[in-house]
Amino acid sequence: MKIVIVGGVAGGASAAARLRRLDENAQIILFERSGFVSYANCGLPYYIGGVISNKAELTLQTPESLWNRFRIEVRTHQEVTHINTQDKMVTVHDLDNEKVYEESYDKLILSPGAKPIIPNLSGTDSRRLFTLRTVEDSYRIRDYVTENNPQSVVIVGGGFIGLEVAENLNDMGIRVTIVQRSDQLLDILDYDMATFTHSKIRQKGISLKLGSNVIGFTDEANGITTHLENDSDIKSDFVLMAVGVLPDSSLAKAAGLQLGIKGSILVNDKMETSVQDIYAVGDAVQVIHSVSGQNAVISLAGPANKQGRIVADNICGGDSHYKVSIGSSVIKLFDMTIASTGLSEKAAIASGFDCDRIVLSPASHASYYPNSKVMTMKVVFEKETLKLLGAQIVGYDGVDKRIDVLATAIAFGAKANQLKDLDLAYAPPYSSAKDPVNMAGFMIDNIARGVLKQFHWNEVDGLPSDGRVTLLDTRTPSEYARGHVNGFINIPLDVLRENIQKIDKSKPVYVMCQSGLRSYIASRILNLQGFDAYNFSGGYRFYSAVTKEQALCKGTYPCGMDR
């Protein structure tokens, strides 16, 4: 059997290696148009910043290593330009010597990946404008930085690549401006959770322009100008375009393969395309999101690796199926960690779910053990069924651990309140006896049982200010004095019972504290004494973080500047 693979990196290279482990006699040929067949795509921003100093460390496998260990024939700098599905032939362009030839196949695997989006704007052909997708791209950016000693850069786009490159260039002393068309960074997050990333970006001296639309670029004698719609131009030494990627499906389209959303290649759960004996994997394929049930394109290394393995199994007579696509992801942003899995609240609503959410601020480990740090966790679930829909966490230590637990729970169909039952490892340096994931389960179980009623940050402004409700802040007087929401009176939790007669039992009581714990206890005291009490989700800490960012980006304070 002769198997041709178009494209390496995660999907193609993993398929090739798995094929050899299953079939010692198959002829395996892998075509890669770049010079690198298997490399650490996610490590490219860190090479630009010098965190990874040795080029060789980016390369996971070479053509030589794949041949020596697996007898896989890798042909780099060779681009497959046409597929003859009837005769089962591919046309190959050798980019080194301009030779064009044909190669037959019994089975064909397409792993073309994705291509950076380059908007149709003037000036995008500037030599000072870069994109980052391949090893060669990272070399070009790194060489430009080391040879030209730039002082400033504009990064267009606030996704994973944009933020990782921003961090690395900022650490090199380059003045960074991020321009984002939407009103938040990291669109996988909800706005309220994204505000923590905005604050961190600004703390590090990076200028942030949210809700800004780029309309073109102009090369200057000593730099490049980025033109914004309804805003001032930005002059910088160079520009990185990081507005996203699209499936690189032109080869599949020309061959008549069926396409899906965003031009992705349509496959079934065995990774088979619409044409017999042709498979596709990775960033270029359409999958079914396991939570929403809707079509999706998920450009992440984990799914691509799994899909490569599944294709190899099926080619070699197995019966493997791609089952789970929930888009789990994590990113380092300076000393902060940001992670998500499943659906955000906005994505859940867009998918038709009647959902609710909780926000909590647990410690990374036992608070009495040194260096405990607070994380902010948001968990989204379906109201009626308690189906666990998704989660987002922003913090420092222990974020990745918790998001992986939540991703596992989602993958295996756990209900949100069942998080309370998970038996998770505990020792003071690592967790608390009630792990943050357990705490989320307790809170959701309380909601399901009617023990807890809550209100959220975006509902505060809508609360009546005419005395029809009581607004209660249960923090200490010193905490209250440092900042509070207008209209909330201060009765600390520990003296609430002694002052409960000051609260009108005929009115609903909306209770707030710093993190949500004391106000929950206060709500229980009130509810058990006949009051109609509601606990504020996330606490004043969360409210303050979100509303400050709202003010910054709605004109109260200029975006990119501190109060």
Side-chain angles (χ1 to χ4, degrees), residues 190-193 343-346 348-349 354-360 377-383 386-392 416 440 443-444 447 452-460 535-538 542 546:
D190 288 315
Y191 173 81
D192 49 13
M193 296 297 286
L343 300 177
S344 63
E345 182 187 5
K346 62 186 176 186
I349 293 170
D354 182 17
C355 64
D356 200 354
R357 81 274 198 187
I358 58 164
V359 177
L360 60 159
M377 178 186 295
K378 180 175 184 177
V379 180
V380 183
F381 58 97
E382 189 172 30
K383 288 181 181 179
L386 298 185
K387 178 180 180 179
L388 187 57
L389 301 178
Q392 301 152 64
M443 292 173 66
I444 294 168
I447 292 171
L452 171 64
K453 294 187 289 185
Q454 58 178 354
F455 65 110
H456 300 282
W457 71 268
N458 57 333
E459 298 171 329
V460 171
N535 183 44
F536 182 69
S537 177
F542 185 71
V546 176

Side-chain angles (χ1 to χ4, degrees), residues 84-127:
N84 182 337
T85 58
Q86 184 173 353
D87 297 331
K88 302 178 79 171
M89 302 280 290
V90 295
T91 301
V92 184
H93 179 198
D94 188 325
L95 301 176
D96 289 332
N97 58 28
E98 298 302 322
K99 175 184 175 182
V100 176
Y101 64 97
E102 291 186 324
E103 192 76 48
S104 64
Y105 66 85
D106 295 313
K107 304 286 185 179
L108 178 64
I109 303 173
L110 301 180
S111 179
K115 55 188 177 183
I117 296 172
I118 305 294
N120 185 23
L121 302 174
S122 61
T124 54
D125 58 347
S126 170
R127 65 181 181 84

Side-chain angles (χ1 to χ4, degrees), residues 184-415:
Q184 69 169 80
L185 302 174
L186 292 173
D187 285 341
I188 58 167
L189 302 178
D190 288 315
Y191 173 81
D192 49 13
M193 296 297 286
T195 58
F196 290 91
T197 69
H198 302 169
S199 178
K200 176 61 66 174
I201 285 289
R202 293 193 177 97
Q203 287 174 14
K204 293 297 181 177
I206 294 173
S207 178
L208 182 57
K209 286 186 170 289
L210 298 173
S212 294
N213 188 31
V214 175
I215 57 176
F217 305 92
T218 300
D219 254 328
E220 309 287 353
N222 57 352
I224 182 171
T225 297
T226 302
H227 303 289
L228 303 181
E229 186 178 26
N230 300 323
D231 204 345
S232 301
D233 294 344
I234 308 172
K235 291 186 177 181
S236 62
D237 293 319
F238 71 109
V239 170
L240 174 72
M241 290 292 295
V243 298
V245 296
L246 286 173
D248 191 354
S249 57
S250 56
L251 181 65
K253 181 179 181 179
L257 276 64
Q258 290 184 16
L259 303 183
I261 62 171
K262 300 180 181 178
S264 57
I265 302 172
L266 198 63
V267 294
N268 59 20
D269 64 354
K270 299 182 74 171
M271 309 314 296
E272 297 169 323
T273 71
S274 59
V275 174
Q276 188 174 1
D277 295 326
I278 300 180
Y279 301 78
V281 299
D283 295 355
V285 304
Q286 175 181 293
V287 296
I288 303 295
H289 196 287
S290 301
V291 180
S292 70
Q294 296 179 352
N295 295 327
V297 176
I298 299 177
S299 299
L300 295 169
N305 273 285
K306 296 180 186 72
Q307 292 162 7
R309 181 184 178 92
I310 289 167
V311 165
D313 287 352
N314 291 326
I315 286 176
C316 294
D319 186 29
S320 290
H321 300 259
Y322 185 62
K323 297 180 179 179
V324 178
S325 283
I326 58 177
S328 302
S329 62
V330 64
I331 179 175
K332 170 188 172 296
L333 186 62
F334 298 101
D335 58 342
M336 179 180 277
T337 301
I338 303 139
S340 70
T341 188
L343 300 177
S344 63
E345 182 187 5
K346 62 186 176 186
I349 293 170
S351 298
F353 288 103
D354 182 17
C355 64
D356 200 354
R357 81 274 198 187
I358 58 164
V359 177
L360 60 159
S361 300
S364 56
H365 59 251
S367 57
Y368 58 81
Y369 190 87
N371 300 318
S372 174
K373 295 183 179 179
V374 173
M375 65 180 73
T376 303
M377 178 186 295
K378 180 175 184 177
V379 180
V380 183
F381 58 97
E382 189 172 30
K383 288 181 181 179
E384 182 176 352
T385 67
L386 298 185
K387 178 180 180 179
L388 187 57
L389 301 178
Q392 301 152 64
I393 310 176
V394 179
Y396 299 88
D397 298 337
V399 170
D400 54 339
K401 169 185 175 179
R402 274 64 185 219
I403 207 69
D404 283 343
V405 172
L406 289 160
T408 303
I410 292 171
F412 286 97
K415 292 184 180 296

